[in-house]
Amino acid sequence: MSAPRSKAWLGWLRAAAIVCVMLVFALPMVWMIAAAFKTNVQVTDPSVGLWFHPTLENIRTVLTEGPILRSMGNSLLIGVVSTVLSAVIAVPAAWAVGRFGMQRTGSLILVARIVPAISLLVPWYYLFAQLGLVGSYTVLILSHMFVSVPLILWIMISFFAGLPVELEEAARTDGLSAFGAFRRITLPLAAPGTATACLLAFVFSWNNFMFALVFADDSTQTVPVTLFQFMSYASTDWGGLMAAATLITAPVLIAALFGQKYLVAGLTSGAAKG
Amino acid sequence: MATLQLPGSTRQSTTEPGRGRPPRSFESSNRRLKWAMLTPALLFVGLMIAFPLAYTVNLSLTDAFGAVNAGSSHVGLRNFGDLLTDTRRFWPAAWRTLEFTVGAVLLETVLGLAVAMLLRKPFRGIRWVRTVLIIPLLTTPVAIGILWLLILDPTNGIANHLLSELGMPRMEFLGSVGQSLPTLMLIDVWQWTPMMALLLLAGLTTLPEEPEEAALVDGAGPWQRFRYVILPMLTPALGTALVLRAVDALKTFDLLYATKGPGGGADFEVETLNVYAYGLTFDYQEYGLAAALLVLFTLVIIGVVVALRRRATSSGRKDA
């Protein structure tokens, strides 16, 4: 008699706990977005809360008066190019690691995840200065690829491990070369995994702060650096700052809304196996 | 594609046992193919990392200062000696790094495990919860920093407003020397607990159900089932998640630099090893000293990874 009742009670408790967890993680983001549409007087008055007359003034000012549009263009260019180039070299490598049991060789590349990026900045700076490339898109694309290649490799190794070998073997029996089997059979099957890995690589490139902080000049600056500089010269313009933060978070929010299934799969791939 | 091979160079490749070995020509073309597929990625990462590491190690043994290519001379291990005896900036930064990493990662693990257990049984709306969870960890740390600066603003922030509504004392948060590091740890916990939760949730969904059902039949309560059945099985996933998170937490830079600026604040109150290394390099141009610090720091990170991995595998074996 009491068992079903306590079960229902537990269910409600669990639902309440889940709602609490969601509020904890969602409310700060909601607060940021709300502040982007407040006047500066409203932003610094906590009693205004979430009920107010929204204004587009901050967004308009940030878009027209600051360098943020150009930064978004730079980030988009660097993100897309570095992601595509990384996928071109990392996807075949992941396949080779998975199919030919080269885990040891593959894990060498993951050393790149361990080394603190700061220890690479001075040598890279020295090297790229010799080549006259500091401040160019090339340096930023190469440095962002340094993050994307291991990331895509990591995700794709476990993705390929989940694809059946039999299809490739059947294709080989039908006369395709090993490369042909990869290109005509496996690669199309790997499209969802590749898309996932690329989406994550793009997001991490979009968010990358340190490389552009050191290697970019005014014309190649990316969004996190623009936001950081905006903060240091207009620390009291909360409305403008929140508008800028919201603008550069918008692509991530859209990706999260439409691609959560893939993003979660990519973020957690390889984790369960240990 | 058949290729001629010198007898001495034929290293038999190890195919999986139980399968017939394919003809020689097949094998050698495979070997070429796998290297052709792997080489661009290996070469890229290798070139981007090998020269810098060698360069940094070399730099750490010099008194390079001012400009990287200005004349410098080898000073042996003096930089390392200078660092290890520096109780003003180096050791406090090292302890802060440890404090930040251990505190944040421990909280993230406990809370992440709790959230993962909460979300374990399927329910309607799980996709909305997952959407909410991935947003913090996919948002630029600089934006996260600014957002929390607004919320935690000592005079105008909503956090203090809520605290005083609840009759609690107002806090200085990032405005004070003492509260800055704990506050940043909590921001890190807010941003990365979802990552822990998602990693552990993925681990939980791969666990077999039989052991838990058996424990249920034997009359084990919820806590006993969690502690003696689920937790041991989850150890490998927990180990991986811990390593991933610890490596990133040790290297935290964006959030600290965006909120407190160079040096980690006026009193260096949030200056970790990574922030100190950045300051030595770009604010003081102490390239030799910075390189020595980075060599030490890299060794510490590698040590942490090895130690955590060894612990995870050995305790996994013990529990299995």
XYZ file of all heavy atoms in Angstrom, chain B residues 132-164:
248
model
N 20.611 21.981 -21.836
C 20.998 22.954 -20.805
C 22.400 22.630 -20.282
O 23.211 23.516 -20.047
C 19.958 22.964 -19.664
C 20.507 23.665 -18.439
C 18.684 23.630 -20.131
N 22.700 21.336 -20.128
C 23.983 20.949 -19.554
C 25.171 21.265 -20.469
O 26.242 21.603 -19.983
C 23.988 19.449 -19.223
C 23.230 19.025 -17.968
C 23.351 17.529 -17.767
C 23.754 19.741 -16.735
N 24.987 21.133 -21.788
C 26.171 21.353 -22.640
C 26.450 22.834 -22.870
O 27.557 23.181 -23.253
C 26.101 20.637 -24.013
C 24.837 20.998 -24.761
C 26.284 19.153 -23.866
C 24.820 20.439 -26.165
N 25.469 23.703 -22.617
C 25.694 25.119 -22.924
C 26.865 25.728 -22.132
O 27.750 26.339 -22.726
C 24.387 25.935 -22.772
C 23.426 25.554 -23.915
C 24.655 27.431 -22.801
C 22.037 26.103 -23.766
N 26.933 25.528 -20.795
C 28.066 26.154 -20.079
C 29.420 25.687 -20.600
O 30.333 26.497 -20.770
C 27.866 25.700 -18.634
C 26.444 25.330 -18.515
C 26.021 24.853 -19.863
N 29.555 24.393 -20.886
C 30.881 23.917 -21.239
C 31.246 24.216 -22.686
O 32.391 24.044 -23.089
C 31.031 22.425 -20.917
C 30.143 21.413 -21.607
C 30.849 20.823 -22.799
C 29.774 20.314 -20.633
N 30.270 24.682 -23.479
C 30.595 25.071 -24.854
C 30.698 26.584 -24.999
O 30.953 27.086 -26.082
C 29.531 24.540 -25.820
C 29.479 23.018 -25.994
C 28.370 22.637 -26.959
C 30.806 22.469 -26.478
N 30.485 27.302 -23.901
C 30.540 28.761 -23.977
C 31.972 29.246 -23.719
O 32.670 28.698 -22.866
C 29.572 29.372 -22.947
O 28.260 28.895 -23.226
C 29.578 30.885 -23.016
N 32.392 30.275 -24.469
C 33.720 30.839 -24.291
C 33.988 31.187 -22.839
O 33.206 31.928 -22.232
C 33.835 32.144 -25.096
O 33.296 31.917 -26.374
C 35.253 32.611 -25.204
N 35.083 30.699 -22.257
C 35.378 31.039 -20.857
C 35.431 32.542 -20.615
O 35.081 33.000 -19.522
C 36.738 30.393 -20.622
C 36.776 29.248 -21.574
C 36.020 29.697 -22.784
N 35.834 33.331 -21.614
C 35.861 34.778 -21.427
C 34.447 35.311 -21.192
O 34.217 36.151 -20.310
C 36.503 35.485 -22.646
C 36.554 36.980 -22.416
C 37.898 34.944 -22.901
N 33.475 34.792 -21.956
C 32.086 35.215 -21.768
C 31.573 34.757 -20.410
O 30.863 35.494 -19.718
C 31.203 34.661 -22.888
N 31.958 33.533 -20.016
C 31.564 33.021 -18.692
C 32.108 33.949 -17.607
O 31.408 34.293 -16.649
C 32.132 31.603 -18.477
C 31.630 30.652 -19.557
C 31.844 31.103 -17.065
C 30.396 29.914 -19.252
N 33.362 34.358 -17.771
C 33.970 35.242 -16.787
C 33.196 36.538 -16.655
O 32.873 36.974 -15.552
N 32.861 37.168 -17.793
C 32.139 38.441 -17.778
C 30.763 38.282 -17.152
O 30.319 39.094 -16.331
C 32.015 38.994 -19.215
C 33.396 39.345 -19.738
C 31.096 40.190 -19.253
C 33.381 40.026 -21.065
N 30.109 37.179 -17.515
C 28.768 36.921 -17.005
C 28.776 36.825 -15.477
O 27.932 37.416 -14.800
C 28.271 35.631 -17.664
C 27.383 34.668 -16.912
C 26.019 35.294 -16.750
C 27.252 33.380 -17.703
N 29.782 36.124 -14.927
C 29.828 35.985 -13.471
C 30.310 37.266 -12.809
O 29.949 37.534 -11.660
C 30.681 34.783 -13.072
C 29.926 33.507 -13.283
C 30.025 32.661 -14.358
C 28.904 32.961 -12.444
N 29.140 31.616 -14.224
C 28.444 31.779 -13.057
C 28.334 33.357 -11.236
C 27.442 30.984 -12.501
C 27.334 32.558 -10.686
C 26.901 31.391 -11.312
N 31.118 38.065 -13.503
C 31.490 39.366 -12.939
C 30.249 40.214 -12.707
O 30.146 40.935 -11.712
C 32.461 40.095 -13.877
C 33.931 39.702 -13.805
C 34.724 40.415 -14.885
C 34.520 40.012 -12.433
N 29.289 40.134 -13.640
C 28.050 40.894 -13.476
C 27.228 40.338 -12.314
O 26.770 41.080 -11.446
C 27.228 40.857 -14.776
C 25.819 41.457 -14.668
C 25.889 42.955 -14.468
C 24.983 41.141 -15.906
N 27.067 38.997 -12.308
C 26.239 38.378 -11.267
C 26.846 38.621 -9.876
O 26.138 38.882 -8.909
C 26.092 36.865 -11.538
C 25.246 36.646 -12.794
C 25.477 36.147 -10.338
C 25.066 35.209 -13.193
N 28.186 38.538 -9.802
C 28.858 38.613 -8.499
C 29.378 40.004 -8.175
O 30.110 40.173 -7.208
C 30.029 37.614 -8.469
C 29.682 36.148 -8.708
C 30.944 35.320 -8.792
C 28.777 35.621 -7.608
N 28.973 41.013 -8.953
C 29.426 42.373 -8.680
C 29.077 42.733 -7.222
O 27.926 42.598 -6.804
C 28.750 43.351 -9.646
C 29.319 44.749 -9.519
O 30.415 44.971 -10.047
O 28.673 45.596 -8.865
N 30.099 43.156 -6.450
C 29.848 43.343 -5.003
C 28.707 44.307 -4.696
O 27.952 44.072 -3.749
C 31.182 43.883 -4.483
C 32.192 43.377 -5.458
C 31.499 43.351 -6.787
N 28.559 45.392 -5.476
C 27.507 46.345 -5.126
C 26.222 46.138 -5.926
O 25.128 46.208 -5.374
C 27.983 47.794 -5.342
O 28.717 47.838 -6.569
C 28.850 48.259 -4.200
N 26.335 45.870 -7.235
C 25.145 45.827 -8.072
C 24.740 44.434 -8.538
O 23.828 44.288 -9.339
C 25.349 46.705 -9.318
C 25.596 48.152 -8.942
O 24.963 48.664 -8.020
N 26.525 48.795 -9.623
N 25.451 43.402 -8.068
C 25.186 42.067 -8.583
C 23.955 41.426 -7.977
O 23.572 41.723 -6.848
N 23.355 40.517 -8.745
C 22.159 39.825 -8.264
C 22.498 38.885 -7.117
O 21.682 38.644 -6.227
C 21.485 39.061 -9.436
C 20.213 38.324 -9.006
C 22.420 38.055 -10.067
C 19.016 39.204 -8.943
N 23.746 38.371 -7.087
C 24.113 37.403 -6.042
C 24.000 38.031 -4.657
O 23.377 37.477 -3.745
C 25.518 36.879 -6.278
N 24.580 39.217 -4.495
C 24.496 39.890 -3.194
C 23.079 40.328 -2.879
O 22.658 40.333 -1.726
C 25.438 41.099 -3.164
C 26.772 40.734 -2.544
O 26.846 39.820 -1.722
N 27.822 41.430 -2.935
N 22.320 40.702 -3.921
C 20.921 41.063 -3.743
C 20.159 39.887 -3.134
O 19.426 40.047 -2.156
C 20.342 41.445 -5.109
C 18.928 41.901 -5.061
N 18.557 43.124 -4.537
C 17.785 41.309 -5.475
C 17.250 43.251 -4.634
N 16.757 42.159 -5.190
N 20.386 38.703 -3.719
C 19.710 37.506 -3.206
C 20.173 37.175 -1.792
O 19.362 36.821 -0.934
C 19.960 36.316 -4.130
C 19.304 36.384 -5.508
C 19.712 35.205 -6.369
C 17.779 36.441 -5.369
N 21.486 37.304 -1.560
C 22.019 37.003 -0.224
C 21.375 37.895 0.829
O 20.984 37.423 1.900
C 23.541 37.184 -0.200
C 24.382 36.064 -0.802
C 25.861 36.410 -0.737
C 24.116 34.737 -0.103
N 21.238 39.187 0.520
C 20.670 40.060 1.548
C 19.168 39.836 1.684
O 18.615 39.992 2.771
C 21.002 41.529 1.267
O 20.680 41.870 -0.044
